[in-house]
Amino acid sequence: MEQKKNNLSRRNFVKGSTLAAGGILLTPSLLTASPIFNKTKKLKLAVVGCGGRGTGAVSQALRADENVKLVAMADAFEDRLEDAYTSLTKMFQTDKLHVKPSHKFVGFGSYKKAIDAADVVILTTPPGFRPQHFEYAISQGKHVFMEKPVATDVAGIKKVLEATKMAKAKKLNVVVGLQRHYQASYIEAYNRIQKGAIGQIVSGQVYWNGSGVWVRPRKDHQTEMAYQMRNWYYFNWICGDHILEQHIHNIDIANWFVGGYPIKASGTGGREVRKGKDHGHIFDHHVVEFEYENGTIISSQCRHQPGTKHRVDEFFQGTLGTSYTDGGGSAKLKKYDGTNIYTHDNENDINPYQQEHNRLFKSIRNGEVINDAENGAKSTMTAIMGRMATYSGKEITWDKAMALNHKIVPDEDTLTFDSVPPVIRDEYGNYPVPVPGKTNFI
């Protein structure tokens, strides 16, 4: 009975979070609240994590509101911070960029000083550090944009969920970079499905199949920690594997459209192509079957294998018809006899990466509250559950996974580049790769 009660709670949450992600979460306080920031007050912005996504997110934030300026930057590596700053100076005038040399913070633990200097913070480091950064930002009363996934382990999920409660109590805005929630094609498809256009969703398939991402080779005299921080995509404690880092987008759409979070997962996966010493210990393919409380089954595939079919989209079957969506702006709903229900015209759609920042700053200016953090945490947990299923080859239930003491990320404030990372290579230079049937979580 208790399990059913918890599951019902998850389902109810998604309906609420959808309102938050697709619109504004209206809290009772809005009836009386005055805007915290009027339209002319300069909002101070800080970025923690100055890689490509951090640079992109800053540029979108600066375009979202005319009275925002970047005042602080933090990154583990000085060259990455300076590269980002140089790129931004080519896009914006000095009235948008006001980062003094004393406000460029480098190294482990630098996130606190950057967050302290700002009203709004962008959290775009590799995801393993996200829970610690988010918790600190909320404790200091900052509005947040944070990239997905929001954690790499169960301990991180729990930390984000606790900080989310604090954010709600403080009426802070939190937008998570699951930008499909801000994309017109997805919103239109979702709204029609909610009105019964294709009946109840009973099954679906979600995909992120591609050729893979960059590799950063080891350099001479580089410590093991520095190497893993540079080549972070291939280490679970920082990245979470590509089922989290990329495929979470499609898994999150399944949760959103189905209207809940899965109660269990089973799957298979491994390393067939991408298994060199520069590829750490993550898999290059995962196939997971997620089962939801109402019996809906979602099949999930993600693959990083060059030369194979590219597919990144979502396809759902309802009792009356089907739905197809992808990140390129397509949304098509059909009856089973082929009759078109809806085809989205994306010609005038706003880029969702820009729209999520537009919505964030508009909400801050108007004294409103958006909070995507709980859904971001639970969709991240869905992907973690899928990863546990493929690594172990066992069925993983949501409740048992959430009860685990699963912590793979050390406290950032204790780290230096001479620290020993959570995973180390053997005498032959190989990292321990999970083995289905032998690797256990539950």
Side-chain angles (χ1 to χ4, degrees), residues 102-157:
S102 62
H103 277 59
K104 294 178 178 178
F105 305 106
V106 174
F108 289 111
S110 59
Y111 67 96
K112 289 183 177 177
K113 293 177 181 176
I115 290 171
D116 288 346
D119 303 307
V120 185
V121 297
I122 291 175
L123 305 179
T124 45
T125 62
F129 299 115
R130 195 95 69 237
Q132 192 164 355
H133 296 173
F134 179 58
E135 180 185 56
Y136 183 75
I138 296 303
S139 74
Q140 299 304 303
K142 313 298 182 180
H143 299 281
V144 172
F145 171 84
M146 62 176 168
E147 264 301 340
K148 55 71 208 166
V150 302
T152 60
D153 58 14
V154 177
I157 294 293

Side-chain angles (χ1 to χ4, degrees), residues 365-436:
R365 290 292 187 192
N366 291 339
E368 298 169 339
V369 179
I370 299 172
N371 196 319
D372 297 342
E374 187 170 350
N375 178 61
K378 292 188 175 180
S379 280
T380 300
M381 185 61 207
T382 305
I384 289 174
M385 192 165 67
R387 185 189 69 198
M388 288 178 170
T390 62
Y391 281 6
S392 68
K394 305 286 178 58
E395 180 179 274
I396 305 294
T397 67
W398 179 285
D399 292 334
K400 286 185 177 179
M402 281 297 292
L404 290 174
N405 181 24
H406 176 249
K407 179 176 173 58
I408 61 175
V409 186
D411 181 347
E412 180 184 333
D413 296 341
T414 68
L415 297 179
T416 71
F417 282 113
D418 291 320
S419 298
V420 177
V423 60
I424 57 174
R425 53 185 174 158
D426 64 17
E427 59 185 312
Y428 306 106
N430 299 309
Y431 295 93
V433 177
V435 179

Side-chain angles (χ1 to χ4, degrees), residues 167-350:
K168 289 178 177 177
K170 293 184 176 184
K171 299 181 176 60
L172 296 171
N173 283 274
V174 182
V175 167
V176 175
L178 293 165
Q179 77 281 352
R180 283 163 169 78
H181 285 267
Y182 295 88
Q183 189 164 356
S185 55
Y186 282 95
I187 294 170
E188 292 293 338
Y190 172 79
N191 288 339
R192 283 167 173 77
I193 290 171
Q194 287 299 293
K195 292 176 181 177
I198 64 168
Q200 181 180 342
I201 292 176
V202 295
S203 62
Q205 300 78 44
V206 296
Y207 304 90
W208 192 295
N209 289 338
S211 59
V213 299
W214 45 262
V215 172
R216 294 179 180 135
R218 187 184 299 273
K219 294 182 178 180
D220 292 341
H221 310 299
Q222 197 171 35
T223 67
E224 181 64 27
M225 177 62 82
Y227 169 69
Q228 293 193 20
M229 288 288 290
R230 292 283 192 184
N231 202 30
W232 62 267
Y233 203 97
Y234 299 96
F235 296 94
N236 264 325
W237 68 277
I238 327 178
C239 169
D241 206 320
H242 61 113
I243 190 172
L244 268 75
E245 228 292 319
Q246 290 178 302
H247 192 36
I248 185 177
H249 283 298
N250 319 101
I251 291 171
D252 172 64
I253 293 301
N255 291 343
W256 185 21
F257 281 24
V258 170
Y261 301 96
I263 58 173
K264 58 185 177 181
S266 58
T268 186
R271 289 159 63 103
E272 293 295 328
V273 176
R274 193 178 57 189
K275 50 187 176 183
K277 294 178 180 178
D278 280 339
H279 297 132
H281 62 142
I282 69 172
F283 281 2
D284 64 12
H285 65 284
H286 303 256
V287 178
V288 182
E289 186 176 278
F290 292 107
E291 182 175 335
Y292 293 73
E293 186 184 27
N294 65 0
T296 299
I297 301 294
I298 299 296
S299 173
S300 146
Q301 288 185 27
C302 60
R303 180 176 62 205
H304 276 186
Q305 295 175 345
T308 59
K309 179 182 178 181
H310 179 88
R311 182 171 185 179
V312 180
D313 55 27
E314 305 88 23
F315 186 50
F316 300 106
Q317 297 79 48
T319 52
L320 301 176
T322 64
S323 165
Y324 172 86
T325 48
D326 66 35
S330 293
K332 300 177 182 177
L333 277 60
K334 293 183 178 179
K335 294 182 179 178
Y336 281 113
D337 65 5
T339 303
N340 182 60
I341 299 173
Y342 176 71
T343 298
H344 184 71
D345 178 2
N346 62 21
E347 184 175 351
N348 296 314
D349 288 354
I350 299 172

